[in-house]
């Protein structure tokens, strides 16, 4: 039976790949998409989410989520503003990891009338069986829902989170973006008592997607294959020019790895049950602090220290092959 999931996104180039993968999988029943502020403001992440749903002609409701982090927005010195070294210009054109708007037609389909945290509470209270939450943006909506009604934790099968890093970080010397954006929300969610699986940068950089993989996606001649190839190529250009990976001509497509994990858990390697806390202030703001001592504090998270790039690419290829053929 297909696994029911709710996917929480700040769409976002890699979020878009994750949404397509979830929509196309026969092993996953995508119950809803919840947008959250992160990569872009909430208007843009919601619009981009609707655009991907519309592109695939999918029948999945979209709920607009939180527009600010839980606590940080109250502290002027902690506003989540991404530091950048200035725009990246390649061949005279500015290239971004995440364009403001995805390069597909504007959405004519509409979001749902209630907010994402309200949806979580209503849906989970009524759910006959526990469902899985896959959160690939900041954890604001999920934390907010748990704050509204803590009993919904009993209806959560697993929370799969793209976030954190042990040996690799990307937003500060100690932090990964999603966790750094809303550290208080992350701390609440990873300690809520549900099974939590963290898919951090250590796994997503290892399970990278290459230009050759993009060629294979495009050769499928499908809507999802073409769009995924374009998004991954854009990410490869940015990685190659500003953050090269160990594998040449490759990019992390972080969020899609969480979906692939639900289909084939072997895409994650070296998964260890650990105690994790989140750093809140100063140099450790947003850090996933793991207790690696022998006599560790009680364990609360599964943390993937590695990933398998061949398996990941093959899962995505199979999924994108299921999408509608492009007209020639
Ligand atoms: C995470 O941050 C965002 O930029 C990506 O969409 C991904 O979820 C990687 O740090
Ligand atoms: Ca994301």
């Amino acid at each position: 039976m297909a696994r029911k999931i709710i996917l929480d996104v700040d769409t976002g180039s890699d979020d878009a790949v994750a949404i397509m993968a979830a929509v196309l999988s026969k092993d996953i029943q995508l119950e809803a998409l919840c947008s959250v502020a992160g990569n872009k403001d909430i208007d843009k992440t919601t619009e981009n989410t609707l655009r991907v749903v519309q592109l695939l002609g999918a029948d999945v409701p979209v709920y607009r989520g939180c527009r600010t982090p839980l606590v940080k927005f109250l502290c002027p010195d902690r506003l989540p503003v991404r530091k950048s070294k200035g725009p990246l210009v390649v061949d005279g054109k500015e290239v971004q990891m995440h364009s403001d708007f995805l390069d597909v037609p504007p959405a004519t389909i509409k979001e749902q009338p209630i907010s994402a945290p309200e949806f979580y509470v209503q849906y989970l209270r009524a759910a006959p069986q526990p469902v899985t939450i896959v959160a690939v943006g900041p954890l604001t909506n999920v934390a907010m829902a748990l704050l509204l009604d803590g009993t919904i934790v009993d209806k959560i099968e697993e929370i799969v989170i793209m976030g954190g890093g042990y040996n690799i970080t990307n937003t500060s010397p100690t932090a990964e973006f999603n966790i750094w954006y809303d550290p208080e929300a992350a701390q609440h969610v990873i300690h809520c008592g549900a099974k939590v699986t963290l898919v951090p940068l250590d796994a997503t950089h290892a399970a990278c997607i290459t230009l050759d993989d993009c060629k294979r996606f495009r050769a499928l001649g499908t809507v999802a294959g073409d769009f995924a190839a374009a998004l991954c190529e854009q990410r490869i250009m940015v990685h190659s020019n500003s953050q090269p990976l160990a594998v040449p001509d490759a990019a992390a497509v972080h969020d899609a790895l969480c979906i692939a994990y639900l289909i084939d858990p072997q895409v994650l390697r070296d998964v260890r049950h650990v105690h994790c806390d989140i750093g809140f202030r100063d140099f450790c703001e947003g850090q996933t602090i793991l207790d690696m001592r022998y006599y560790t504090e009680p364990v609360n998270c599964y943390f993937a220290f590695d990933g398998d790039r061949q398996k990941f690419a093959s899962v995505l290829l199979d999924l994108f092959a299921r999408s509608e053929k492009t007209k020639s």
Side-chain angles (χ1 to χ4, degrees), residues 92 121 188 210 240 300:
V121 172
H188 188 56
T210 64
S240 303
N300 60 319

Side-chain angles (χ1 to χ4, degrees), residues 14-15 39 82 98 136 162 170 176-178 201 254-255:
D14 55 332
D15 305 76
N39 282 321
R82 245 178 185 157
H98 307 281
V136 299
M162 191 286 124
N170 62 5
E176 178 278 331
F177 178 77
N178 288 339
L201 297 174
H254 315 277
D255 299 348

